[in-house]
Each structure stands twice: as C-alpha cells, then as structure tokens.
Amino acid sequence: MNPGYRSRAPSTMDHMRPIEEQTILITGATDGLGRALAAELAAEGATVLVHGRDDQRGKATLQEIGGRASWYRADLSSLDETRALAEAVRTDHPRLDVLVNNAGIGADGPRRESADGHELTFQVNYLSGYLLTRLLLPTLISSAPARIVNVSSLGQQAIDFDDVMLHHGFSGIRAYCQSKLAQVLFTIDLADELAGTGVTANALHPATYMPTKMVSSPISTLEEGVRATHRLVTDPALDDVSGRFFNGLRESRADDQAYDRAARAQLHAISEKLTTA
C-alpha cells in the first residue's frame, strides 16, 4: 500500500498555515474529546471535517460547532467504509493539513469481531486508523507542512504477535491496551518513513479518564484533554517534532515495545496484510 510518494527537503522556514486556512479531519468527533476539539478548532476558523458513525449525532455536532464544518459518516468497524471515508475526503478536499485519529471504543464487554473478522477493539482503535492514514498520506504530503496526531493512551500492553486478535485469554482491558500501544508503534514508524516530507506524526495520552461516554468515573476534565491535543495540532513549537509520545502536555515514554524496531516491523507487516484489499 506504499503510495509511492517522493520526499522533499525539509526546511526550517516551513510552518503550518494559519489556523483559518487549515483543513482538519477529526475521527470520532461527535462525542467527548473529538467533539470538543472540533468545536474549538472551528471557532478558531479552521475547516473541520467531522467524522462519526451516526448521522443524527453528526448533524447535531455540526449545528453545535458551526463555522466551516462538514460531516463524514463511516463505521470504522468496516474497512470498506474506512476506504470510502478516505475517498470522500480526498475527493472533497485536495488539501488536508491535519489528520487526528481520535475514534475509539472502550474496554467493556466480551470479545467481538468486526465486519472484516478482526477483533473489534484492535480494528476500531488501531487498524482502521492505520488504513485511513495510509490512504490519506498522498494528500497530507502534497499539503505539507502537515500533521498526523494519534490519540492513544497511557494504558498500554505489549502486543502478542502469536495471538494479535486475542482468541485466547481475551479481556477488554488487554484488547484496549494492546490497540493503544499499536497506535504508538505506528506513530514512530510513520515518523521515520515521513522524514523529509514535511509531515509529522505524534501520539498522545490526552488526559486520564475524561468525562466521555466510555468513562463512568472521570478524573481529568475534558478541557485538559482538549488542550493537550490542540497543542499537537497547532503549536508552532512542534513544527519539527515527530515520532514522539506525549502524556498530556509533556513528552513521555511509551511501553518498551514501541521502541523495538523488530516489533514495529511485525506490526507493519500484519497491518499491511490485513488492510490490503
């Protein structure tokens, strides 16, 4: 699925466009962090592409945030719908300044499978974001400078490459933590791959147990998570920062597996195999 792009020489003069000139896609933007981030960026003048899987919630979100926002429906439990989302965005917007992979599901319930036969948490939280990013890379690169922000978590667990889909010993927490670490492995690999293109990739744990539909006992405020994520989207000080993991506003260290080149290569090979139509 290599798009065959050519890198360009980086320049210290490259800076992100003013926010009012940017087009930003946020997945999972009809609730919680995604919705609040979309509202803030729209209020600042950005063109915000709001993604979700429910048309009614999408319409309500557009009415709430106003500005130059548009709606894109896709269920990320389907790789075909993820491909259609990428195609719709590419068709409507020849320029894309920021992709925020925020969509995700929590850790409750029994083991479930996606429409494609993959463990559901792994697909929604990681694999569909991987595919969406891959399909949008040519647009991001042609729009450079541009950014990819992967909303991960401090909840991380090493991936069992002998049983990635957790057919044995499944738990919702394990599935969630594995999927969130997969995002970080992808981020580090992507940063290396995109060096010299003007596109950066970073991941973050926005805040701990924010008041969203996935959390019953909040600890952090939604505003804390929005502030941390907004910083990765807009802060000029991060123009040349890539391949990092942040805990809120601070750079941090992910699980050791994220820095294992062989593990990242294994995940890449699996991801390519699972997403190649």
Side-chain angles (χ1 to χ4, degrees), residues 207-269:
T208 301
Y209 294 130
M210 295 174 289
T212 70
K213 65 182 179 182
M214 291 193 296
V215 175
S216 57
S217 301
I219 295 176
S220 302
T221 65
L222 194 59
E223 289 73 21
E224 289 177 80
V226 171
R227 183 164 64 251
T229 312
H230 183 275
R231 175 173 173 261
L232 290 192
V233 171
T234 65
D235 190 348
L238 300 177
D239 279 347
D240 299 317
V241 174
S242 193
R244 312 292 177 82
F245 174 70
F246 293 84
N247 176 8
L249 299 172
R250 304 184 310 276
E251 187 174 340
S252 186
R253 182 175 174 85
D255 181 272
D256 287 346
Q257 192 182 56
Y259 308 100
D260 182 338
R261 187 179 298 274
R264 297 200 306 271
Q266 279 186 282
L267 181 63
H268 175 81

Side-chain angles (χ1 to χ4, degrees), residues 14 19 25 27 29 57 84 102 111 126 203 221 226 242 251 263 275:
D14 288 340
I19 190 67
L25 170 59
T27 66
R57 293 182 66 85
N102 167 71
R111 184 183 183 279
Y126 163 69
T221 65
V226 171
S242 193
E251 187 174 340
T275 58

